[in-house]
Amino acid sequence: MTPSPSIDWPACIITAFDFVGTKGVAASGRASFAMMEMHRFAVAKINAGLPRHSHGYVWNDSVLLLSYHTTPAHTRLAVLQELSEFKRALELQSGIRTYAMAVRGRAFPDDTLASPVFQCPPAGQPRAIVLKTSSWAMANCFLIEKALKRHRADWYIDSRITRGTGLAQPFATESVSLLPKNEERNINMYKGFFDGGD
């Protein structure tokens, strides 16, 4: 599906977070407890913080965030720093390491037929919620994870996001074919956190 030029498909950054090693601690119950802690923290942070992100979604051991702040480069750096602060706090709260994939793409246009929960009356919340995240960018997060998880990076970031931000050099870069046109995109891999662009 190629976006129609007559419809506003806003540029966005989609970031997916996942726990490291969830299956390995599932039987002990530690993973379930960590997921519940993560859910509480992530929901509170999405609702009351993350000013550079418009929407967030939480399920199992995953968090998905949507930002419309894509230009200029210093704005993308601010988004990455906000993501880094969120990742650090999420790990402290849950006690489990995470990794993240961030992709630049285009979000679905606004749909007045699919009102988000916070726009509905309390007694009439919808049973179905259409995710605002870009279908291709979201899918590309999982393509990146599948192709590059052997590197065990903390961050897998589309080079279109990091370009011009002044971040330190990644420890590795590989190209991955991304949807919708199967174009090769460089994915930069990092360890640690992004503090002040270093």
Side-chain angles (χ1 to χ4, degrees):
M1 176 177 62
T2 302
S4 167
S6 63
I7 299 175
D8 181 25
W9 295 72
C12 68
I13 295 172
I14 305 295
T15 305
F17 293 88
D18 277 313
F19 279 167
V20 174
T22 305
K23 290 181 183 177
V25 293
S28 70
R30 181 173 168 231
S32 298
F33 176 77
M35 282 189 269
M36 289 188 293
E37 285 297 303
M38 181 270 277
H39 293 175
R40 280 192 283 270
F41 171 81
V43 167
K45 192 71 172 172
I46 291 165
N47 286 337
L50 303 180
R52 293 176 179 87
H53 288 81
S54 299
H55 293 83
Y57 309 95
V58 182
W59 72 99
N60 294 339
D61 64 346
S62 302
V63 178
L64 186 67
L65 298 176
L66 166 64
S67 174
Y68 294 114
H69 297 272
T70 60
T71 57
H74 69 82
T75 300
R76 294 195 303 277
L77 177 60
V79 169
L80 290 171
Q81 289 171 339
E82 184 170 280
L83 289 166
S84 183
E85 291 169 11
F86 176 77
K87 183 178 188 295
R88 188 193 306 267
L90 188 66
E91 291 178 359
L92 284 172
Q93 184 69 27
S94 64
I96 294 183
R97 281 185 54 237
T98 65
Y99 61 99
M101 291 80 54
V103 179
R104 188 167 174 173
R106 293 197 173 272
F108 284 122
D110 284 334
D111 181 356
T112 56
L113 296 177
S115 299
V117 171
F118 57 79
Q119 290 180 353
C120 294
Q125 292 186 354
R127 294 177 63 191
I129 299 170
V130 177
L131 299 184
K132 295 283 186 180
T133 47
S134 160
S135 60
W136 298 129
M138 186 174 173
N140 285 335
C141 286
F142 300 111
L143 291 177
I144 290 167
E145 178 183 24
K146 182 177 180 180
L148 303 179
K149 64 182 177 182
R150 69 187 185 282
H151 289 283
R152 300 184 181 275
D154 294 321
W155 300 90
Y156 304 85
I157 305 178
D158 184 341
S159 63
R160 294 173 294 173
I161 298 171
T162 60
R163 187 178 300 123
T165 60
L167 286 179
Q169 289 295 311
F171 76 82
T173 299
E174 285 192 24
S175 63
V176 177
S177 295
L178 299 184
L179 299 168
K181 298 179 180 177
N182 291 319
E183 292 181 30
E184 294 285 318
R185 298 288 185 188
N186 285 335
I187 307 302
N188 294 331
M189 290 167 268
Y190 300 87
K191 297 281 191 182
F193 300 96
F194 306 127
D195 298 317
D198 296 326

